[in-house]
Amino acid sequence: MNHSAISIKYRGPDLVANLFAQRMKILAWIIENTNVTSTKPTNKSLNHHLQQEYNHMTDQITQLEYHPFRDPMKVLPLELCADIIEEAIRRYDRVDRLLDLTSVSRRWCNILTSLPTLWTEIVFDSSKGDYLAKAAIGLSLSGTCELSVTIAVPFELWQEISSIVLAESGRIASLQIESPPNYSDSEKILHDFEGLPVLKTLELPPEHNSGNVDSRPRNIGFEKMPLLSTISGPRPGPLEYSCSRFIRNRIIHIPTITQDMVNVWARLPNLIGLFLDEHHTSPDYSPKSFKSSLPSVRHLVYSGRALERALSLLGPNVTSITVDVYESHQVLDLLRRFPRIHHLKLLVSTHFNYEGVAIGTTPISCGSVESLQIQGASYQSHPTNMEEATALWKILYQAFIDILPCVKTLVLGYLPFIDETWSYISSLKQLHDLTVSYCMFHLSNSQNTITIEHLSDVNWSMLPDSVGIFSKIIGPSLHGLYMSTAAEEWTSVDADATKSNIPANSFPSLASLTVTFRRPLPWDIGIYKNLRKLGLHTMYAHVTDLMARSDILEIILLRPREFPVLDTIELGIWPFECDILLLMLERKNIYAQPGISPITTIVVTVNTPLPYRLLYPITTLLRGRFPEREPNVAFSLDAVGERIFDESS
């Protein structure tokens, strides 16, 4: 058989198709030469020549098929470009990232500097280098747009930057004063502003007063802020209700709520959100209730011991409650008292009283509650008497079946996960999102398989022996599954007890699967025809954990047709068995039959750059080409381990 280079006889629309056909012939010759009988040694030089021919064909196809994307700055409306860039930079140092983007090209530089809405966040933070220069750039390029200003400099530096800030007071819509200025200094800073006519959001440092309520007058000129709608930080002053009558949200960190404060809030007809932190109030503080309520409040976040006093402020319009609970009866009392809430978050205190609870009069069904979050104390702070805790939650979950039947988002953390928990989850016909983290798993093996029709996303951070619960769930709409096995300090589990065989048709729509190993997990990964993204992470670089990830990659290597659309793989702590990764990429990206998507993206978490000897073959295989590389044994776990743990290095 003549294996010389194949000449291209075709021109026109059939050229690419013929190149594909010829490349398949070359691949067949490579396979034939690799799989010769042991009596006839493999011709390595011929195999190398054929691989080079295959790479040449791949390059030709790429050149013919490649249609470079046009510069988005040329084809997209500037408003859409601004929105895209806004999303891309929102988690980073804004000005630094924008300046990086201006270096892409002259066009990008001109367009970015002509979009003033991108430059409206101004930060004066003396802990960051060149903060004055960056602030000056933002002030210059933001044009006449409203600004969001953050002041985080020592008060002695305020006089140096005040002239810059005060000159822009007419367009400051959001003002945040952070530490190191204390509350007293922040009052002085606000006093320097002659007017803040468009200010809508004001965030000040909280008052740190562990004693009685400070009765001195506030030195905040609210009359200068006619549009103020959200305040965070200090307690309200007597002028607040008259000069800030449009306030919609109030975030306060105070020692104690007083009747005077309530009188102020009651005169704010548009007050919607109230965030209270009564960190020094005892349950028996007087008064136990207030003379007036706040009927306009819809969202309450309360941290403190005097829950009854705080709840007495609320009227019938409340839709969202987040509170600390200390007594078992408080859980059901909340539902009896507010039957129309949509979101309920209960933070179970470390001092929670787990004594017996009587249901009493069962609350009416709260069909409006769509989001239920119950967060217990940390694992180390769980009650020593688990029998009392389990008995309490057994009663509560049984009640939830009738009271909260329409929950779509359920979040459970640091709580007993018992048969009644499973019964409640099974009863939720509209459940979309389920998060269970670090719960104490006390589930029997008597559960029946259930179908959760609308379940879309699951976040499961539990002991390895809890994974078996997924063999009891059929989720036809499940799109994303995040699974994290037990933390290192948790008790070890018999490997046989963690084996789980999930039926192939359990999650037919699963597109994203992320598994974080903290100890080995003998788990049949299953068959997922629609899986596009697979994440394999480990908390520690233990050999057993690394091998568990490699076992899953080996499944994909041996059974690529069971993952036909998988194109993205995320890998956690490096290293692991790199030879398995390379073989999987060869099989998926070169040897797989038509209809099997290649791996196009590999995301690796590393503290240092990957060595070239590994990075080169990975990137070459991602391009669908045979790399020039060392034998597989050079990338095995043993070889990597020898390099890592070499005592002489």
Side-chain angles (χ1 to χ4, degrees):
M1 182 180 295
N2 182 11
H3 296 300
S4 60
I6 301 175
S7 61
I8 306 301
K9 302 178 181 179
Y10 299 90
R11 295 293 184 270
D14 295 332
L15 178 57
V16 174
N18 283 285
L19 283 172
F20 269 111
Q22 293 172 40
R23 190 178 67 170
M24 289 300 295
K25 290 181 181 179
I26 295 175
L27 183 59
W29 292 337
I30 293 173
I31 296 174
E32 176 186 343
N33 186 59
T34 304
N35 295 335
V36 293
T37 61
S38 58
T39 57
K40 181 180 179 182
T42 301
N43 189 332
K44 293 184 179 180
S45 61
L46 175 59
N47 215 41
H48 179 267
H49 173 71
L50 290 173
Q51 290 179 355
Q52 296 305 307
E53 286 291 323
Y54 182 94
N55 290 348
H56 178 66
M57 289 286 182
T58 300
D59 288 340
Q60 286 186 285
I61 293 172
T62 300
Q63 291 174 6
L64 291 171
E65 288 189 327
Y66 176 66
H67 301 289
F69 292 108
R70 297 177 63 186
D71 188 338
M73 292 293 190
K74 292 183 180 180
V75 297
L76 296 178
L78 290 184
E79 295 83 359
L80 183 56
C81 286
D83 290 342
I84 294 173
I85 293 172
E86 187 80 37
E87 180 66 22
I89 65 176
R90 64 187 179 91
R91 295 184 180 181
Y92 302 93
D93 188 306
R94 191 179 185 88
V95 176
D96 285 347
R97 184 52 59 96
L98 284 170
L99 292 176
D100 288 342
L101 293 176
T102 60
S103 64
V104 172
S105 67
R106 186 179 297 275
R107 173 184 292 275
W108 277 56
C109 181
N110 292 337
I111 291 178
L112 290 175
T113 54
S114 67
L115 293 172
T117 57
L118 295 177
W119 304 87
T120 56
E121 289 192 11
I122 313 299
V123 179
F124 293 92
D125 187 348
S126 56
S127 66
K128 298 181 179 180
D130 298 327
Y131 75 98
L132 285 177
K134 295 175 185 177
I137 292 174
L139 292 172
S140 174
L141 297 179
S142 59
T144 59
C145 292
E146 293 184 349
L147 301 177
S148 175
V149 177
T150 299
I151 299 174
V153 298
F155 185 68
E156 54 268 20
L157 292 180
W158 166 244
Q159 296 302 323
E160 297 182 15
I161 68 170
S162 60
S163 59
I164 303 174
V165 181
L166 297 177
E168 306 294 341
S169 59
R171 58 191 186 109
I172 298 178
S174 175
L175 178 60
Q176 180 178 1
I177 302 179
E178 297 181 349
S179 298
N182 56 34
Y183 181 75
S184 178
D185 289 338
S186 67
E187 284 186 345
K188 298 174 183 177
I189 291 174
L190 283 176
H191 185 71
D192 288 343
F193 285 92
E194 294 183 359
L196 291 164
V198 298
L199 186 68
K200 303 177 183 67
T201 302
L202 175 62
E203 184 171 346
L204 302 175
E207 297 176 83
H208 299 286
N209 184 359
S210 59
N212 295 325
V213 177
D214 186 359
S215 60
R216 66 184 178 86
R218 305 291 87 188
N219 188 23
I220 299 177
F222 287 110
E223 67 278 0
K224 304 175 183 178
M225 314 168 192
L227 300 183
L228 188 62
S229 63
T230 299
I231 310 176
S232 175
R235 63 179 176 82
L239 288 177
E240 183 174 326
Y241 71 89
S242 61
C243 301
S244 305
R245 54 190 176 275
F246 301 110
I247 289 177
R248 299 172 63 85
N249 290 281
R250 193 64 164 94
I251 303 173
I252 314 169
H253 300 271
I254 53 178
T256 303
I257 306 172
T258 66
Q259 184 64 56
D260 289 340
M261 295 179 188
V262 176
N263 293 339
V264 171
W265 299 333
R267 299 180 65 173
L268 300 173
N270 297 309
L271 184 63
I272 294 176
L274 199 56
F275 305 80
L276 303 172
D277 182 3
E278 282 191 301
H279 45 274
H280 288 289
T281 300
S282 61
D284 57 351
Y285 180 82
S286 181
K288 294 185 178 180
S289 63
F290 300 99
K291 297 178 181 178
S292 54
S293 64
L294 307 174
S296 63
V297 171
R298 297 181 183 177
H299 313 290
L300 172 69
V301 177
Y302 177 79
S303 176
R305 296 295 301 270
L307 178 59
E308 284 298 319
R309 294 175 65 251
L311 294 180
S312 68
L313 294 172
L314 302 181
N317 296 318
V318 63
T319 60
S320 174
I321 295 179
T322 299
V323 293
D324 295 335
V325 288
Y326 293 82
E327 299 286 343
S328 55
H329 69 85
Q330 292 175 332
V331 177
L332 295 181
D333 286 348
L334 277 167
L335 298 173
R336 294 190 183 102
R337 192 166 184 170
F338 306 102
R340 293 190 293 176
I341 57 177
H342 299 309
H343 170 82
L344 177 62
K345 183 174 182 180
L346 304 175
L347 304 176
V348 181
S349 169
T350 55
H351 304 292
F352 189 86
N353 183 3
Y354 281 94
E355 293 180 359
V357 58
I359 291 294
T361 303
T362 303
I364 62 174
S365 176
C366 297
S368 61
V369 176
E370 296 184 353
S371 175
L372 174 63
Q373 300 182 47
I374 307 178
Q375 188 70 32
S378 65
Y379 181 76
Q380 293 82 358
S381 301
H382 273 311
T384 55
N385 192 342
M386 285 304 303
E387 292 184 2
E388 288 186 356
T390 302
L392 167 65
W393 289 107
K394 178 179 179 180
I395 295 174
L396 290 176
Y397 283 124
Q398 288 174 337
F400 288 166
I401 293 177
D402 297 322
I403 301 170
L404 303 172
C406 301
V407 169
K408 295 181 180 179
T409 299
L410 179 62
V411 180
L412 304 174
Y414 295 101
L415 299 170
F417 194 101
I418 53 181
D419 288 344
E420 286 71 22
T421 312
W422 176 249
S423 298
Y424 176 58
I425 294 173
S426 306
S427 71
L428 297 175
K429 304 303 180 184
Q430 303 179 41
L431 186 62
H432 282 76
D433 302 294
L434 175 64
T435 298
V436 179
S437 56
Y438 307 110
C439 289
M440 295 162 289
F441 204 71
H442 298 286
L443 200 65
S444 65
N445 296 321
S446 59
Q447 289 72 33
N448 296 323
T449 300
I450 63 169
T451 298
I452 307 180
E453 193 69 33
H454 302 290
L455 188 63
S456 176
D457 289 281
V458 174
N459 189 316
W460 189 266
S461 300
M462 292 282 286
L463 285 167
D465 61 349
S466 70
V467 175
I469 197 65
F470 287 96
S471 63
K472 308 286 187 178
I473 299 176
I474 296 177
S477 303
L478 187 66
H479 179 270
L481 173 59
Y482 172 87
M483 183 181 300
S484 177
T485 56
E488 184 184 48
E489 64 271 14
W490 288 24
T491 56
S492 61
V493 180
D494 183 7
D496 291 336
T498 68
K499 292 182 179 179
S500 176
N501 183 17
I502 299 177
N505 61 346
S506 292
F507 311 127
S509 303
L510 191 66
S512 176
L513 173 64
T514 300
V515 183
T516 299
F517 300 95
R518 290 187 177 95
R519 58 177 71 249
L521 182 66
W523 177 46
D524 185 354
I525 192 175
I527 300 173
Y528 304 117
K529 297 291 185 180
N530 294 304
L531 189 66
R532 294 186 174 274
K533 177 181 176 181
L534 175 64
L536 302 173
H537 302 270
T538 182
M539 297 301 294
Y540 313 103
H542 294 173
V543 172
T544 52
D545 301 340
L546 303 175
M547 291 178 66
R549 292 189 300 165
S550 299
D551 289 343
I552 294 179
L553 293 181
E554 190 172 354
I555 292 173
I556 302 171
L557 162 66
L558 298 176
R559 298 165 10 206
R561 301 197 67 82
E562 295 180 5
F563 308 89
V565 297
L566 179 65
D567 59 18
T568 300
I569 292 181
E570 290 185 356
L571 300 171
I573 296 175
W574 206 268
F576 63 102
E577 292 186 284
C578 304
D579 55 336
I580 300 296
L581 173 64
L582 296 178
L583 289 171
M584 184 206 66
L585 287 174
E586 280 187 356
R587 181 73 183 274
K588 267 285 255 177
N589 290 22
I590 296 178
Y591 291 109
Q593 299 298 316
I596 306 298
S597 297
I599 302 295
T600 58
T601 304
I602 292 182
V603 181
V604 181
T605 303
V606 290
N607 295 325
T608 57
L610 292 180
Y612 178 79
R613 65 201 299 269
L614 178 60
L615 184 61
Y616 167 73
I618 289 177
T619 54
T620 304
L621 287 166
L622 288 175
R623 294 163 57 193
R625 298 175 53 188
F626 286 100
E628 297 277 1
R629 65 178 177 88
E630 301 170 69
N632 285 331
V633 67
F635 299 98
S636 67
L637 186 60
D638 290 339
V640 173
E642 289 177 1
R643 290 196 295 272
I644 291 179
F645 302 110
D646 184 0
E647 295 181 357
S648 63
S649 62

